Amino acid sequence: MIVGVLAIQGDFGEHIKMLQGLGVETREVRLPEELENLDGLIIPGGESTTIGKLAKEYKMIEPLRKFGEEKAVWGTCAGAIFLSKDATRVKTGQPLLKLMDITIQRNAFGRQVNSFEVGLDVPALSAVSEENPPFDSVFIRAPLIESVDAEDVEILSSLEDGTIVAAKQGNLLATSFHPELNDDDRFHRLFLTMIKK
Amino acid sequence: MAKEENGKEMASYKLKAGLAQMLKGGVIMDVVDADQAKIAEDAGAVAVMALERVPADIRADGGVARMSDPDMIEKIMAMVSIPVMAKVRIGHFVEAQILESIGIDYIDESEVLTPADEAHHVNKHKFKVPFVCGCLNLGEALRRINEGAAMIRTKGEAGTGDVVEAVRHARTVFGAIRQLQTMAEEEVYAYAKEIRAPYHLVNEVKELGRLPVVNFAAGGIATPADAALMMQLGVDGVFVGSGIFKSGDPASRAAAIVKATTHFNNPEILADVSRNLGEAMVGRQISSMSDDEKLADRGW
């Protein structure tokens, strides 16, 4: 199994480290041909404007779309924006992959001084961990999932006020926070089970 | 100074250093007004540095260089959706308080401005906003991290368009880290003393094989090839100051430097993005400058 990490910009190195810690072979992906023979792909956190622009200029949008129609893709923060079918507060003309039936709001919590950490209950993680303590989640200028727009979208976690911050639809996973910045690898293990299916 | 709000932890060091993680592989551009900020964002910048004069003009004008007008910074914040950074003078914690109060995303305690304190830097632990600081070498980087900096940039020599100092400082930091990794444990104590850095941070660098925070290059980067050179030397991203808006065609040059920073290991793409960019900034050769013209020696 080889898992790719989109390496246009952002914290792709942290995802790669996490995957390697789980004994998974990884590949940095910057160009369409680098998607070949991958079993899954992670789109990391970063600036969604930069990632979208460079993906478009290097003709990655269609190949990424095709990849996501068949194989497992996980977007964290900026990556979740990129995966979404619709997004608000994005830059005009910012390209989206339109793979996952969610509407996402960029920079939903405000500027950097409003960034926060919180422990989240994620029942779905019990599939990879018997004891399932709250997942320490890092929200950095984070987006939120405004709505899930299809019946097969499963809400994995919400904040206390009901704001949706993690969702899954078939082979697609979106989190508005950064599991790659933790020592806790449960989300990465959950993603690997989506690949093996 | 992490604090709790409705079970949420705010302003932790992890959040401050985490924002810098999100900027990796990206280009942070100096801009002096909202129009330039828009050009930078459209070109794919991951953040902009709002300042009244780019370093090349600060050099040319002389006089005291201070924090920019908050009004001008707010106009830039309103124009773009990417993070906005701004500079304070070394040690000027009130300028930092002002920037924090207007909601800036990152503060650069910068040698490009005229220092306000010749002995002390800002105590950056006291702020909710993260700080980036410059360094010439490993010791200086670790002193700044000890004071709370959540991101480091090698200084280079700002406003020159000459990459030689940026290379020197990056090589100095990475060389020291490699040297440290070969040391016996007992040698680390003396080494920490020699480079005037806290032992616990020196030891952490030895274990990690890198700085514990994100490390960008700055000071003198003027072309896509310069940006890729710094990336291949091992930095996490680049700051481009005067190099973009002092060139003939800022929008094209900005976009080309962004692409070069992503595809830094791909010479064909680098050749492609280096074509037809118009005039690069004229620049000043550092070897022709006297020591008192150099900004990088500011910082203690």
Side-chain angles (χ1 to χ4, degrees):
Chain A
M1 176 168 55
I2 312 174
V3 177
V5 182
L6 194 67
I8 290 175
Q9 189 274 318
D11 71 336
F12 51 89
E14 278 59 38
H15 278 294
I16 288 171
K17 230 176 283 161
M18 198 67 115
L19 291 168
Q20 287 175 344
L22 291 166
V24 177
E25 192 181 332
T26 59
R27 185 193 299 157
E28 293 181 7
V29 176
R30 294 181 177 83
L31 295 168
E33 56 268 29
E34 289 162 343
L35 286 169
E36 250 169 68
N37 304 324
L38 291 181
D39 300 290
L41 180 78
I42 298 178
I43 306 175
E47 273 309 314
S48 62
T49 52
T50 307
I51 295 171
K53 182 190 153 70
L54 268 75
K56 190 174 169 195
E57 291 200 19
Y58 287 95
K59 306 200 163 38
M60 291 289 285
I61 303 286
E62 276 312 314
L64 284 170
R65 224 169 250 163
K66 200 168 279 173
F67 187 91
E69 281 164 7
E70 294 159 11
K71 294 181 181 167
V73 182
W74 173 20
T76 60
C77 193
I81 298 173
F82 199 30
L83 263 188
S84 69
K85 195 146 273 180
D86 199 9
T88 57
R89 292 206 202 162
V90 290
K91 209 168 148 285
T92 322
Q94 185 175 326
L96 301 175
L97 293 179
K98 297 187 182 297
L99 279 166
M100 197 168 165
D101 290 302
I102 53 174
T103 302
I104 212 158
Q105 187 186 114
R106 182 167 169 242
N107 289 353
F109 299 93
R111 306 196 73 93
Q112 172 62 13
V113 288
N114 305 109
S115 292
F116 61 94
E117 284 181 67
V118 72
L120 284 179
D121 283 325
V122 190
L125 290 178
S126 59
V128 293
S129 114
E130 271 181 34
E131 279 176 64
N132 197 10
F135 192 87
D136 180 22
S137 306
V138 185
F139 291 79
I140 297 172
R141 289 172 45 93
L144 60 77
I145 300 172
E146 254 178 34
S147 61
V148 297
D149 309 323
E151 276 183 10
D152 61 337
V153 183
E154 193 187 333
I155 295 171
L156 298 188
S157 194
S158 306
L159 298 178
E160 259 179 25
D161 64 2
T163 306
I164 307 167
V165 291
K168 180 173 173 285
Q169 182 181 27
N171 54 324
L172 305 171
L173 178 64
T175 55
S176 50
F177 48 95
H178 296 282
E180 72 278 15
L181 293 183
N182 288 14
D183 296 327
D184 189 339
D185 59 11
R186 282 179 288 162
F187 258 101
H188 286 79
R189 284 190 281 139
L190 179 71
F191 180 62
L192 294 180
T193 67
M194 292 168 57
I195 295 175
K196 282 168 187 158
K197 260 178 206 170
Chain B
M1 49 167 248
K3 60 175 185 189
E4 299 273 330
E5 251 172 60
N6 317 323
K8 293 176 180 173
E9 191 172 336
M10 317 283 289
S12 65
Y13 191 72
K14 189 172 187 177
L15 291 167
K16 293 175 176 178
L19 177 56
Q21 302 276 9
M22 299 311 137
L23 303 175
K24 284 198 295 193
V27 183
I28 300 169
M29 302 181 190
D30 279 2
V31 298
V32 300
D33 57 37
D35 291 340
Q36 288 189 356
K38 188 81 181 65
I39 291 171
E41 186 181 43
D42 287 345
V46 289
V48 291
M49 176 75 70
L51 73 178
E52 261 156 14
R53 293 176 291 170
V54 293
D57 289 334
I58 292 174
R59 263 180 202 293
D61 297 352
V64 177
R66 309 179 178 89
M67 176 191 79
S68 298
D69 184 336
D71 193 60
M72 163 267 180
I73 297 170
E74 279 181 339
K75 282 185 181 135
I76 289 172
M77 288 164 63
M79 174 60 80
V80 295
S81 62
I82 53 179
V84 179
M85 303 182 165
K87 291 181 191 289
V88 300
R89 286 178 265 178
I90 290 172
H92 206 314
F93 52 86
V94 174
E95 286 185 346
Q97 290 164 3
I98 291 170
L99 290 182
E100 178 170 77
S101 80
I102 66 170
I104 200 85
D105 295 302
Y106 236 97
I107 294 175
D108 182 6
E109 185 180 19
S110 177
E111 70 285 358
V112 169
L113 305 184
T114 311
D117 190 323
E118 291 191 326
H120 310 99
H121 282 250
V122 173
N123 177 358
K124 293 164 274 283
H125 292 292
K126 290 174 92 174
F127 289 82
K128 289 188 285 182
V129 179
F131 279 70
V132 54
C133 288
C135 77
L136 299 172
N137 52 45
L138 181 60
E140 192 174 14
L142 297 182
R143 288 194 291 280
R144 296 297 85 81
I145 293 167
N146 198 39
E147 294 155 3
M151 178 177 180
I152 288 293
R153 56 177 173 76
T154 47
K155 285 178 182 170
E157 191 56 44
T160 61
D162 187 346
V163 81
V164 66
E165 292 297 295
V167 169
R168 187 196 317 279
H169 300 155
R171 281 202 184 276
T172 303
V173 170
F174 294 128
I177 293 172
R178 283 188 287 269
Q179 191 193 349
L180 178 58
Q181 285 183 286
T182 65
M183 279 182 204
E185 275 177 44
E186 62 272 21
E187 291 168 346
V188 177
Y189 297 99
Y191 185 67
K193 189 176 163 196
E194 181 191 321
I195 65 170
R196 298 189 294 129
Y199 169 78
H200 74 279
L201 288 175
V202 176
N203 209 34
E204 192 179 347
V205 170
K206 179 174 165 64
E207 275 167 22
L208 293 173
R210 55 158 296 140
L211 290 179
V213 300
V214 167
N215 175 23
F216 272 45
I221 295 158
T223 67
D226 288 348
L229 172 66
M230 298 315 298
M231 292 297 288
Q232 287 196 29
L233 285 174
V235 299
D236 295 316
V238 297
F239 283 88
V240 185
S242 320
I244 289 172
F245 289 100
K246 284 285 161 190
S247 75
D249 181 355
S252 305
R253 184 165 295 267
I257 292 176
V258 167
K259 290 175 193 163
T261 304
T262 291
H263 297 285
F264 65 93
N265 258 330
N266 188 325
E268 281 156 34
I269 289 182
L270 294 175
D272 190 45
V273 303
S274 299
R275 290 172 208 275
N276 303 316
L277 294 179
E279 293 275 314
M281 73 178 280
V282 176
R284 282 194 62 186
Q285 216 177 311
I286 290 166
S287 54
S288 70
M289 288 166 58
S290 64
D291 281 349
D292 59 357
E293 285 183 279
K294 292 182 186 170
L295 305 175
D297 294 332
R298 297 167 168 179
W300 358 103

